[in-house]
Amino acid sequence: MSSTSALLDLDQFEKLAAAGEITTVICAAPDPYGRLVGKRLTISAFRTLGLDGGGVNASSFIFAVDLEMNPLDLPVSNAANGWVDIRLVPDLSTLRRVPWEPTAALVICDAYHMDSDEPLAVAPRTILRQQIDRAAQQGLRFKFASELEFYLSCTPPRQAWDLGYQNLKMMSDYRSDYQMIQAARDDWFIERIRNQMPEFGVPIESSKPEWGLGQQEVTLDYCDTLEMADRHVLFKYGVKQLAHSADLTVTFMAKPKIDEVGSSCHLHVSMWSTDDDQPLCWCPERRGMSDRFGAFVAGQLRHAIDMSLMYAPTVNSYKRFKPDQFAGTAIALGMDNRSCAFRLVGNGPSFRVENRIPGADVNPYYAYAATIAAGLDGVEANLPAPDIFDGNAWTREGVATVPTSLHRSLDLFAESKMARTAFGDEVFDHLLSSAQGELEAFDSHTVTDWESRRYYERV
């Protein structure tokens, strides 16, 4: 089923609602961590608020909390402004049925101020729209695809929680990367993802076992930027729902165990013309990058380090950045070279660049926005196309590498004039303050198992 046929227009929705086939509408917006937050509405409430009214009221708090839902006291929402309400306004182009909840529909919402039609600047969808609009002013649009990895455990979710997510029974017992025997064993569940995600408006290209024990990779079909970010979030939401119903525990952590390989989210991006929807990446004469696409890629390389916060948002993200484990640690551009953070793949209309830095914990709205902002800086500066690296970038002397801690990443982002200019002061400061809150929670409010083992009796 295509994404288009999986979506509902209002006539279809009303017919299903009148027949009692849809009784609940999930109105949800992506939060700063790429999670869906919002409310479940009755049909009458959705008509009153979502269709005929100004939207669904919610506290601005949802954009100013940490992962534990603790308030961060940010300018958008704090005690001084009373954690003021905002409006979640349905984007009706995203209305769809939920395959694993037959009587439910879901619609993604944009966030607006209560007293105006001005979008909430710090909402992830607004942040991405801002960069899409900047690109459109230069006659450019982009298509993205997320390639997500995750781990599955046979330990049921409640038991896994009680165990502190330690010593879980994983879906595979030995390394099975690309192995079809393991793929067949896992397919009682993975086929639900392949089959039900398209019914959810998230087309799937392929699935396969990955290198880690219980690790899977699912590749999503590419599409326009905002829709791809939405699909990415819906995919993670769906996988978590499906896993829970199957008594499996799933994680999209970048590095669930220090002695296991991390989970990536490779971002594929291509450049297109807004005028005639033609691809602009490929130069037939050179059989490689066009000048404009080369400048876009050069911008990404130039700002990969100072924008790493947008690709690696958590303390755990940086545990994945180990050389020779296929994380995008070496800032170089290769032709189908997985040792490079940026990898050129395809040819002709399918020619594109893959960013291998992000982990599976990434917020796609932030990562796509960072990709466009960095690339546009390269286009505006008319940077020459980067040289193509040949060999092992992990071991080559002189190749820059990504930061290895959230501390360093925050410092670099704070100093980025390009990021502040591209996002604007309000958004830039919000992103910085949110990340500082995440780091403080780890630095000041946590005692790790490592500390207990190392220091308990010995100091």
Side-chain angles (χ1 to χ4, degrees):
M1 179 182 291
S2 71
S3 172
T4 302
S5 62
L7 299 176
L8 296 173
D9 61 31
L10 280 180
D11 286 341
Q12 292 169 320
F13 168 79
E14 290 294 357
K15 288 177 182 177
L16 291 167
E21 293 186 46
I22 293 179
T23 59
T24 299
V25 182
I26 304 165
C27 291
D31 79 353
Y33 307 97
R35 303 174 298 183
L36 290 178
V37 294
K39 296 182 180 180
R40 287 175 172 249
L41 274 61
T42 62
I43 297 297
S44 60
F46 177 65
R47 290 187 182 124
T48 301
L49 300 174
L51 300 181
D52 302 327
V56 180
N57 285 18
S59 172
S60 54
F61 162 93
I62 61 177
F63 297 111
V65 293
D66 66 10
L67 276 163
E68 297 276 9
M69 303 305 291
N70 297 310
L72 293 177
D73 195 34
L74 301 180
V76 68
S77 187
N78 51 63
N81 70 14
W83 298 282
V84 64
D85 266 5
I86 56 169
R87 296 181 294 124
L88 300 181
V89 179
D91 177 349
L92 294 177
S93 70
T94 69
L95 184 63
R96 66 197 69 211
R97 297 191 76 170
V98 182
W100 48 89
E101 290 190 67
T103 60
L106 182 148
V107 64
I108 296 176
C109 298
D110 287 303
Y112 287 82
H113 290 276
M114 278 297 294
D115 55 358
S116 75
D117 289 329
E118 180 185 353
L120 194 71
V122 302
R125 247 178 154 236
T126 310
I127 291 172
L128 181 54
R129 284 185 190 275
Q130 179 195 30
Q131 300 308 312
I132 293 171
D133 291 344
R134 287 185 63 222
Q137 291 170 12
Q138 300 195 34
L140 299 175
R141 59 194 285 250
F142 299 96
K143 298 185 181 183
F144 280 81
S146 290
E147 191 177 309
L148 279 156
E149 297 169 351
F150 53 93
Y151 277 89
L152 283 169
S153 164
C154 298
T155 306
R158 180 56 61 85
Q159 184 182 348
W161 170 266
D162 291 341
L163 291 169
Y165 300 109
Q166 300 296 312
N167 303 314
L168 305 185
K169 175 64 176 173
M170 306 310 291
M171 285 273 280
S172 57
D173 299 315
Y174 49 84
R175 307 292 174 201
S176 302
D177 196 6
Y178 283 98
Q179 294 295 316
M180 289 297 97
I181 290 176
Q182 187 64 44
R185 292 173 180 171
D186 298 339
D187 218 42
W188 69 271
F189 176 71
I190 299 300
E191 73 167 349
R192 300 184 193 181
I193 297 174
R194 289 198 313 272
N195 293 338
Q196 293 196 50
M197 283 298 164
E199 295 173 7
F200 196 37
V202 183
I204 301 296
E205 180 183 281
S206 64
S207 65
K208 76 172 186 69
E210 261 292 340
W211 192 82
L213 299 184
Q215 192 179 33
Q216 303 283 339
E217 177 186 272
V218 176
T219 305
L220 310 184
D221 284 352
Y222 77 96
C223 62
D224 283 339
T225 305
L226 183 62
E227 184 178 355
M228 187 68 243
D230 290 342
R231 289 183 187 180
H232 177 128
V233 166
L234 291 167
F235 174 81
K236 288 180 69 172
Y237 173 82
V239 169
K240 290 177 181 180
Q241 297 288 89
L242 290 170
H244 193 275
S245 68
D247 247 4
L248 301 175
T249 297
V250 63
T251 182
F252 288 87
M253 282 180 69
K255 189 78 168 178
K257 295 178 66 177
I258 199 62
D259 56 353
E260 268 288 15
V261 70
S263 286
S264 302
C265 174
H266 301 148
L267 299 186
H268 294 251
V269 59
S270 55
M271 174 187 286
W272 299 69
S273 167
T274 57
D275 295 332
D276 52 13
D277 197 30
Q278 291 299 305
L280 301 176
C281 301
W282 181 255
C283 177
E285 293 76 21
R286 290 200 293 266
R287 297 194 60 78
M289 288 181 287
S290 67
D291 289 339
R292 208 171 192 194
F293 186 61
F296 178 78
V297 174
Q300 289 190 66
L301 265 72
R302 170 184 277 189
H303 295 292
I305 292 176
D306 55 292
M307 296 291 269
S308 59
L309 182 66
M310 305 294 275
Y311 304 128
T314 72
V315 171
N316 180 256
S317 303
Y318 298 84
K319 307 296 172 67
R320 174 177 156 269
F321 290 145
K322 287 189 172 184
D324 72 20
Q325 288 199 4
F326 296 96
T329 56
I331 308 303
L333 177 69
M335 184 68 73
D336 195 14
N337 184 340
R338 287 176 171 83
S339 73
C340 299
F342 294 88
R343 172 177 170 248
L344 294 171
V345 288
N347 60 77
S350 70
F351 190 57
R352 61 198 185 277
V353 65
E354 174 193 62
N355 180 351
R356 299 176 63 81
I357 297 172
D361 57 352
V362 73
N363 181 328
Y365 302 94
Y366 291 172
Y368 293 4
T371 298
I372 295 172
L376 288 182
D377 188 69
V379 171
E380 290 163 358
N382 200 25
L383 296 180
D387 293 332
I388 305 298
F389 184 92
D390 188 30
N392 186 346
W394 294 323
T395 59
R396 186 70 59 86
E397 191 173 332
V399 174
T401 57
V402 294
T404 55
S405 74
L406 185 55
H407 281 279
R408 182 60 181 147
S409 188
L410 262 168
D411 289 344
L412 290 164
F413 186 77
E415 297 165 2
S416 175
K417 294 180 180 178
M418 185 281 294
R420 182 175 285 278
T421 299
F423 295 129
D425 289 341
E426 182 181 1
V427 170
F428 181 86
D429 291 338
H430 175 85
L431 294 170
L432 190 62
S433 296
S434 296
Q436 287 168 336
E438 180 71 10
L439 183 58
E440 182 182 344
F442 179 77
D443 282 349
S444 303
H445 306 154
T446 305
V447 175
T448 66
D449 292 344
W450 182 90
E451 291 169 278
S452 297
R453 285 194 300 270
R454 191 174 184 89
Y455 301 127
Y456 201 92
E457 286 193 83
R458 303 184 218 190
V459 294

mmCIF file with all atom_site columns, all heavy atoms in Angstrom, residues 310-328:
data_model
loop_
_atom_site.group_PDB
_atom_site.id
_atom_site.type_symbol
_atom_site.label_atom_id
_atom_site.label_alt_id
_atom_site.label_comp_id
_atom_site.label_asym_id
_atom_site.label_entity_id
_atom_site.label_seq_id
_atom_site.pdbx_PDB_ins_code
_atom_site.Cartn_x
_atom_site.Cartn_y
_atom_site.Cartn_z
_atom_site.occupancy
_atom_site.B_iso_or_equiv
_atom_site.pdbx_formal_charge
_atom_site.auth_seq_id
_atom_site.auth_comp_id
_atom_site.auth_asym_id
_atom_site.auth_atom_id
_atom_site.pdbx_PDB_model_num
ATOM 1   N N   . MET A 1 310 ? 23.053 18.130 16.971 1.00 0.00 ? 310 MET A N   1
ATOM 2   C CA  . MET A 1 310 ? 21.795 17.856 16.291 1.00 0.00 ? 310 MET A CA  1
ATOM 3   C C   . MET A 1 310 ? 21.714 16.418 15.776 1.00 0.00 ? 310 MET A C   1
ATOM 4   O O   . MET A 1 310 ? 20.632 15.932 15.440 1.00 0.00 ? 310 MET A O   1
ATOM 5   C CB  . MET A 1 310 ? 21.613 18.821 15.120 1.00 0.00 ? 310 MET A CB  1
ATOM 6   C CG  . MET A 1 310 ? 21.718 20.295 15.511 1.00 0.00 ? 310 MET A CG  1
ATOM 7   S SD  . MET A 1 310 ? 20.369 20.821 16.583 1.00 0.00 ? 310 MET A SD  1
ATOM 8   C CE  . MET A 1 310 ? 19.133 21.213 15.339 1.00 0.00 ? 310 MET A CE  1
ATOM 9   N N   . TYR A 1 311 ? 22.859 15.759 15.701 1.00 0.00 ? 311 TYR A N   1
ATOM 10  C CA  . TYR A 1 311 ? 22.908 14.371 15.254 1.00 0.00 ? 311 TYR A CA  1
ATOM 11  C C   . TYR A 1 311 ? 23.096 13.397 16.426 1.00 0.00 ? 311 TYR A C   1
ATOM 12  O O   . TYR A 1 311 ? 22.809 12.212 16.289 1.00 0.00 ? 311 TYR A O   1
ATOM 13  C CB  . TYR A 1 311 ? 24.060 14.171 14.271 1.00 0.00 ? 311 TYR A CB  1
ATOM 14  C CG  . TYR A 1 311 ? 24.029 15.087 13.079 1.00 0.00 ? 311 TYR A CG  1
ATOM 15  C CD1 . TYR A 1 311 ? 25.137 15.859 12.723 1.00 0.00 ? 311 TYR A CD1 1
ATOM 16  C CD2 . TYR A 1 311 ? 22.885 15.200 12.292 1.00 0.00 ? 311 TYR A CD2 1
ATOM 17  C CE1 . TYR A 1 311 ? 25.120 16.698 11.620 1.00 0.00 ? 311 TYR A CE1 1
ATOM 18  C CE2 . TYR A 1 311 ? 22.852 16.047 11.189 1.00 0.00 ? 311 TYR A CE2 1
ATOM 19  C CZ  . TYR A 1 311 ? 23.972 16.796 10.863 1.00 0.00 ? 311 TYR A CZ  1
ATOM 20  O OH  . TYR A 1 311 ? 23.941 17.629 9.774  1.00 0.00 ? 311 TYR A OH  1
ATOM 21  N N   . ALA A 1 312 ? 23.605 13.899 17.530 1.00 0.00 ? 312 ALA A N   1
ATOM 22  C CA  . ALA A 1 312 ? 23.921 13.063 18.689 1.00 0.00 ? 312 ALA A CA  1
ATOM 23  C C   . ALA A 1 312 ? 23.408 13.779 19.931 1.00 0.00 ? 312 ALA A C   1
ATOM 24  O O   . ALA A 1 312 ? 24.156 14.489 20.601 1.00 0.00 ? 312 ALA A O   1
ATOM 25  C CB  . ALA A 1 312 ? 25.422 12.816 18.760 1.00 0.00 ? 312 ALA A CB  1
ATOM 26  N N   . PRO A 1 313 ? 22.118 13.624 20.286 1.00 0.00 ? 313 PRO A N   1
ATOM 27  C CA  . PRO A 1 313 ? 21.472 14.493 21.269 1.00 0.00 ? 313 PRO A CA  1
ATOM 28  C C   . PRO A 1 313 ? 21.575 14.065 22.729 1.00 0.00 ? 313 PRO A C   1
ATOM 29  O O   . PRO A 1 313 ? 21.190 14.834 23.612 1.00 0.00 ? 313 PRO A O   1
ATOM 30  C CB  . PRO A 1 313 ? 20.008 14.471 20.832 1.00 0.00 ? 313 PRO A CB  1
ATOM 31  C CG  . PRO A 1 313 ? 19.834 13.108 20.232 1.00 0.00 ? 313 PRO A CG  1
ATOM 32  C CD  . PRO A 1 313 ? 21.141 12.791 19.561 1.00 0.00 ? 313 PRO A CD  1
ATOM 33  N N   . THR A 1 314 ? 22.072 12.859 23.007 1.00 0.00 ? 314 THR A N   1
ATOM 34  C CA  . THR A 1 314 ? 22.066 12.370 24.383 1.00 0.00 ? 314 THR A CA  1
ATOM 35  C C   . THR A 1 314 ? 23.476 12.030 24.850 1.00 0.00 ? 314 THR A C   1
ATOM 36  O O   . THR A 1 314 ? 24.405 11.895 24.043 1.00 0.00 ? 314 THR A O   1
ATOM 37  C CB  . THR A 1 314 ? 21.190 11.110 24.530 1.00 0.00 ? 314 THR A CB  1
ATOM 38  O OG1 . THR A 1 314 ? 21.852 9.999  23.899 1.00 0.00 ? 314 THR A OG1 1
ATOM 39  C CG2 . THR A 1 314 ? 19.821 11.312 23.906 1.00 0.00 ? 314 THR A CG2 1
ATOM 40  N N   . VAL A 1 315 ? 23.621 11.858 26.150 1.00 0.00 ? 315 VAL A N   1
ATOM 41  C CA  . VAL A 1 315 ? 24.895 11.401 26.706 1.00 0.00 ? 315 VAL A CA  1
ATOM 42  C C   . VAL A 1 315 ? 25.288 10.069 26.073 1.00 0.00 ? 315 VAL A C   1
ATOM 43  O O   . VAL A 1 315 ? 26.449 9.831  25.725 1.00 0.00 ? 315 VAL A O   1
ATOM 44  C CB  . VAL A 1 315 ? 24.788 11.266 28.239 1.00 0.00 ? 315 VAL A CB  1
ATOM 45  C CG1 . VAL A 1 315 ? 26.021 10.583 28.821 1.00 0.00 ? 315 VAL A CG1 1
ATOM 46  C CG2 . VAL A 1 315 ? 24.591 12.633 28.891 1.00 0.00 ? 315 VAL A CG2 1
ATOM 47  N N   . ASN A 1 316 ? 24.313 9.199  25.899 1.00 0.00 ? 316 ASN A N   1
ATOM 48  C CA  . ASN A 1 316 ? 24.568 7.874  25.349 1.00 0.00 ? 316 ASN A CA  1
ATOM 49  C C   . ASN A 1 316 ? 25.003 7.911  23.887 1.00 0.00 ? 316 ASN A C   1
ATOM 50  O O   . ASN A 1 316 ? 25.730 7.017  23.424 1.00 0.00 ? 316 ASN A O   1
ATOM 51  C CB  . ASN A 1 316 ? 23.305 7.014  25.497 1.00 0.00 ? 316 ASN A CB  1
ATOM 52  C CG  . ASN A 1 316 ? 23.476 5.612  24.957 1.00 0.00 ? 316 ASN A CG  1
ATOM 53  O OD1 . ASN A 1 316 ? 22.987 5.290  23.870 1.00 0.00 ? 316 ASN A OD1 1
ATOM 54  N ND2 . ASN A 1 316 ? 24.182 4.773  25.692 1.00 0.00 ? 316 ASN A ND2 1
ATOM 55  N N   . SER A 1 317 ? 24.582 8.948  23.143 1.00 0.00 ? 317 SER A N   1
ATOM 56  C CA  . SER A 1 317 ? 24.912 9.030  21.713 1.00 0.00 ? 317 SER A CA  1
ATOM 57  C C   . SER A 1 317 ? 26.403 8.877  21.459 1.00 0.00 ? 317 SER A C   1
ATOM 58  O O   . SER A 1 317 ? 26.830 8.274  20.462 1.00 0.00 ? 317 SER A O   1
ATOM 59  C CB  . SER A 1 317 ? 24.464 10.378 21.140 1.00 0.00 ? 317 SER A CB  1
ATOM 60  O OG  . SER A 1 317 ? 23.098 10.609 21.322 1.00 0.00 ? 317 SER A OG  1
ATOM 61  N N   . TYR A 1 318 ? 27.207 9.425  22.348 1.00 0.00 ? 318 TYR A N   1
ATOM 62  C CA  . TYR A 1 318 ? 28.644 9.520  22.113 1.00 0.00 ? 318 TYR A CA  1
ATOM 63  C C   . TYR A 1 318 ? 29.377 8.226  22.446 1.00 0.00 ? 318 TYR A C   1
ATOM 64  O O   . TYR A 1 318 ? 30.542 8.062  22.062 1.00 0.00 ? 318 TYR A O   1
ATOM 65  C CB  . TYR A 1 318 ? 29.210 10.717 22.896 1.00 0.00 ? 318 TYR A CB  1
ATOM 66  C CG  . TYR A 1 318 ? 28.574 11.992 22.395 1.00 0.00 ? 318 TYR A CG  1
ATOM 67  C CD1 . TYR A 1 318 ? 27.334 12.410 22.879 1.00 0.00 ? 318 TYR A CD1 1
ATOM 68  C CD2 . TYR A 1 318 ? 29.156 12.731 21.370 1.00 0.00 ? 318 TYR A CD2 1
ATOM 69  C CE1 . TYR A 1 318 ? 26.709 13.538 22.374 1.00 0.00 ? 318 TYR A CE1 1
ATOM 70  C CE2 . TYR A 1 318 ? 28.538 13.863 20.864 1.00 0.00 ? 318 TYR A CE2 1
ATOM 71  C CZ  . TYR A 1 318 ? 27.307 14.260 21.370 1.00 0.00 ? 318 TYR A CZ  1
ATOM 72  O OH  . TYR A 1 318 ? 26.687 15.367 20.854 1.00 0.00 ? 318 TYR A OH  1
ATOM 73  N N   . LYS A 1 319 ? 28.703 7.291  23.130 1.00 0.00 ? 319 LYS A N   1
ATOM 74  C CA  . LYS A 1 319 ? 29.309 5.982  23.379 1.00 0.00 ? 319 LYS A CA  1
ATOM 75  C C   . LYS A 1 319 ? 29.376 5.167  22.085 1.00 0.00 ? 319 LYS A C   1
ATOM 76  O O   . LYS A 1 319 ? 30.122 4.191  21.996 1.00 0.00 ? 319 LYS A O   1
ATOM 77  C CB  . LYS A 1 319 ? 28.491 5.220  24.432 1.00 0.00 ? 319 LYS A CB  1
ATOM 78  C CG  . LYS A 1 319 ? 28.238 5.997  25.723 1.00 0.00 ? 319 LYS A CG  1
ATOM 79  C CD  . LYS A 1 319 ? 29.533 6.302  26.462 1.00 0.00 ? 319 LYS A CD  1
ATOM 80  C CE  . LYS A 1 319 ? 29.314 7.226  27.638 1.00 0.00 ? 319 LYS A CE  1
ATOM 81  N NZ  . LYS A 1 319 ? 28.525 6.628  28.710 1.00 0.00 ? 319 LYS A NZ  1
ATOM 82  N N   . ARG A 1 320 ? 28.578 5.553  21.101 1.00 0.00 ? 320 ARG A N   1
ATOM 83  C CA  . ARG A 1 320 ? 28.561 4.849  19.819 1.00 0.00 ? 320 ARG A CA  1
ATOM 84  C C   . ARG A 1 320 ? 29.750 5.220  18.942 1.00 0.00 ? 320 ARG A C   1
ATOM 85  O O   . ARG A 1 320 ? 30.121 4.456  18.038 1.00 0.00 ? 320 ARG A O   1
ATOM 86  C CB  . ARG A 1 320 ? 27.244 5.194  19.097 1.00 0.00 ? 320 ARG A CB  1
ATOM 87  C CG  . ARG A 1 320 ? 27.109 4.674  17.695 1.00 0.00 ? 320 ARG A CG  1
ATOM 88  C CD  . ARG A 1 320 ? 25.746 4.994  17.104 1.00 0.00 ? 320 ARG A CD  1
ATOM 89  N NE  . ARG A 1 320 ? 25.798 5.015  15.645 1.00 0.00 ? 320 ARG A NE  1
ATOM 90  C CZ  . ARG A 1 320 ? 26.044 6.101  14.933 1.00 0.00 ? 320 ARG A CZ  1
ATOM 91  N NH1 . ARG A 1 320 ? 26.212 7.273  15.534 1.00 0.00 ? 320 ARG A NH1 1
ATOM 92  N NH2 . ARG A 1 320 ? 26.107 6.031  13.623 1.00 0.00 ? 320 ARG A NH2 1
ATOM 93  N N   . PHE A 1 321 ? 30.376 6.364  19.204 1.00 0.00 ? 321 PHE A N   1
ATOM 94  C CA  . PHE A 1 321 ? 31.411 6.879  18.307 1.00 0.00 ? 321 PHE A CA  1
ATOM 95  C C   . PHE A 1 321 ? 32.753 6.201  18.551 1.00 0.00 ? 321 PHE A C   1
ATOM 96  O O   . PHE A 1 321 ? 33.687 6.783  19.106 1.00 0.00 ? 321 PHE A O   1
ATOM 97  C CB  . PHE A 1 321 ? 31.544 8.384  18.464 1.00 0.00 ? 321 PHE A CB  1
ATOM 98  C CG  . PHE A 1 321 ? 30.372 9.160  17.924 1.00 0.00 ? 321 PHE A CG  1
ATOM 99  C CD1 . PHE A 1 321 ? 29.951 10.320 18.542 1.00 0.00 ? 321 PHE A CD1 1
ATOM 100 C CD2 . PHE A 1 321 ? 29.695 8.728  16.805 1.00 0.00 ? 321 PHE A CD2 1
ATOM 101 C CE1 . PHE A 1 321 ? 28.871 11.040 18.051 1.00 0.00 ? 321 PHE A CE1 1
ATOM 102 C CE2 . PHE A 1 321 ? 28.609 9.431  16.300 1.00 0.00 ? 321 PHE A CE2 1
ATOM 103 C CZ  . PHE A 1 321 ? 28.191 10.590 16.926 1.00 0.00 ? 321 PHE A CZ  1
ATOM 104 N N   . LYS A 1 322 ? 32.833 4.947  18.112 1.00 0.00 ? 322 LYS A N   1
ATOM 105 C CA  . LYS A 1 322 ? 34.084 4.209  18.181 1.00 0.00 ? 322 LYS A CA  1
ATOM 106 C C   . LYS A 1 322 ? 34.561 3.940  16.763 1.00 0.00 ? 322 LYS A C   1
ATOM 107 O O   . LYS A 1 322 ? 33.773 3.513  15.909 1.00 0.00 ? 322 LYS A O   1
ATOM 108 C CB  . LYS A 1 322 ? 33.883 2.878  18.922 1.00 0.00 ? 322 LYS A CB  1
ATOM 109 C CG  . LYS A 1 322 ? 33.687 3.013  20.420 1.00 0.00 ? 322 LYS A CG  1
ATOM 110 C CD  . LYS A 1 322 ? 33.723 1.641  21.072 1.00 0.00 ? 322 LYS A CD  1
ATOM 111 C CE  . LYS A 1 322 ? 33.734 1.757  22.585 1.00 0.00 ? 322 LYS A CE  1
ATOM 112 N NZ  . LYS A 1 322 ? 33.875 0.431  23.235 1.00 0.00 ? 322 LYS A NZ  1
ATOM 113 N N   . PRO A 1 323 ? 35.841 4.171  16.488 1.00 0.00 ? 323 PRO A N   1
ATOM 114 C CA  . PRO A 1 323 ? 36.364 3.828  15.161 1.00 0.00 ? 323 PRO A CA  1
ATOM 115 C C   . PRO A 1 323 ? 36.168 2.345  14.883 1.00 0.00 ? 323 PRO A C   1
ATOM 116 O O   . PRO A 1 323 ? 36.073 1.534  15.796 1.00 0.00 ? 323 PRO A O   1
ATOM 117 C CB  . PRO A 1 323 ? 37.856 4.173  15.277 1.00 0.00 ? 323 PRO A CB  1
ATOM 118 C CG  . PRO A 1 323 ? 37.956 5.119  16.409 1.00 0.00 ? 323 PRO A CG  1
ATOM 119 C CD  . PRO A 1 323 ? 36.870 4.739  17.365 1.00 0.00 ? 323 PRO A CD  1
ATOM 120 N N   . ASP A 1 324 ? 36.066 2.000  13.637 1.00 0.00 ? 324 ASP A N   1
ATOM 121 C CA  . ASP A 1 324 ? 35.933 0.641  13.102 1.00 0.00 ? 324 ASP A CA  1
ATOM 122 C C   . ASP A 1 324 ? 34.651 -0.074 13.531 1.00 0.00 ? 324 ASP A C   1
ATOM 123 O O   . ASP A 1 324 ? 34.531 -1.288 13.392 1.00 0.00 ? 324 ASP A O   1
ATOM 124 C CB  . ASP A 1 324 ? 37.157 -0.226 13.394 1.00 0.00 ? 324 ASP A CB  1
ATOM 125 C CG  . ASP A 1 324 ? 37.331 -0.655 14.852 1.00 0.00 ? 324 ASP A CG  1
ATOM 126 O OD1 . ASP A 1 324 ? 36.357 -0.626 15.624 1.00 0.00 ? 324 ASP A OD1 1
ATOM 127 O OD2 . ASP A 1 324 ? 38.469 -1.015 15.212 1.00 0.00 ? 324 ASP A OD2 1
ATOM 128 N N   . GLN A 1 325 ? 33.674 0.684  14.066 1.00 0.00 ? 325 GLN A N   1
ATOM 129 C CA  . GLN A 1 325 ? 32.365 0.092  14.357 1.00 0.00 ? 325 GLN A CA  1
ATOM 130 C C   . GLN A 1 325 ? 31.277 0.707  13.480 1.00 0.00 ? 325 GLN A C   1
ATOM 131 O O   . GLN A 1 325 ? 30.104 0.695  13.818 1.00 0.00 ? 325 GLN A O   1
ATOM 132 C CB  . GLN A 1 325 ? 32.024 0.227  15.840 1.00 0.00 ? 325 GLN A CB  1
ATOM 133 C CG  . GLN A 1 325 ? 32.856 -0.692 16.720 1.00 0.00 ? 325 GLN A CG  1
ATOM 134 C CD  . GLN A 1 325 ? 32.232 -0.911 18.093 1.00 0.00 ? 325 GLN A CD  1
ATOM 135 O OE1 . GLN A 1 325 ? 31.132 -0.451 18.396 1.00 0.00 ? 325 GLN A OE1 1
ATOM 136 N NE2 . GLN A 1 325 ? 32.945 -1.623 18.927 1.00 0.00 ? 325 GLN A NE2 1
ATOM 137 N N   . PHE A 1 326 ? 31.672 1.283  12.363 1.00 0.00 ? 326 PHE A N   1
ATOM 138 C CA  . PHE A 1 326 ? 30.767 1.768  11.328 1.00 0.00 ? 326 PHE A CA  1
ATOM 139 C C   . PHE A 1 326 ? 29.933 2.978  11.744 1.00 0.00 ? 326 PHE A C   1
ATOM 140 O O   . PHE A 1 326 ? 28.951 3.310  11.084 1.00 0.00 ? 326 PHE A O   1
ATOM 141 C CB  . PHE A 1 326 ? 29.860 0.641  10.815 1.00 0.00 ? 326 PHE A CB  1
ATOM 142 C CG  . PHE A 1 326 ? 30.630 -0.469 10.137 1.00 0.00 ? 326 PHE A CG  1
ATOM 143 C CD1 . PHE A 1 326 ? 31.003 -1.606 10.831 1.00 0.00 ? 326 PHE A CD1 1
ATOM 144 C CD2 . PHE A 1 326 ? 30.997 -0.342 8.816  1.00 0.00 ? 326 PHE A CD2 1
ATOM 145 C CE1 . PHE A 1 326 ? 31.725 -2.613 10.216 1.00 0.00 ? 326 PHE A CE1 1
ATOM 146 C CE2 . PHE A 1 326 ? 31.721 -1.351 8.184  1.00 0.00 ? 326 PHE A CE2 1
ATOM 147 C CZ  . PHE A 1 326 ? 32.081 -2.481 8.889  1.00 0.00 ? 326 PHE A CZ  1
ATOM 148 N N   . ALA A 1 327 ? 30.314 3.640  12.839 1.00 0.00 ? 327 ALA A N   1
ATOM 149 C CA  . ALA A 1 327 ? 29.721 4.942  13.160 1.00 0.00 ? 327 ALA A CA  1
ATOM 150 C C   . ALA A 1 327 ? 30.480 5.997  12.364 1.00 0.00 ? 327 ALA A C   1
ATOM 151 O O   . ALA A 1 327 ? 31.651 5.828  12.042 1.00 0.00 ? 327 ALA A O   1
ATOM 152 C CB  . ALA A 1 327 ? 29.816 5.208  14.660 1.00 0.00 ? 327 ALA A CB  1
ATOM 153 N N   . GLY A 1 328 ? 29.800 7.100  12.061 1.00 0.00 ? 328 GLY A N   1
ATOM 154 C CA  . GLY A 1 328 ? 30.400 8.118  11.205 1.00 0.00 ? 328 GLY A CA  1
ATOM 155 C C   . GLY A 1 328 ? 31.349 9.030  11.962 1.00 0.00 ? 328 GLY A C   1
ATOM 156 O O   . GLY A 1 328 ? 31.075 10.223 12.132 1.00 0.00 ? 328 GLY A O   1
#
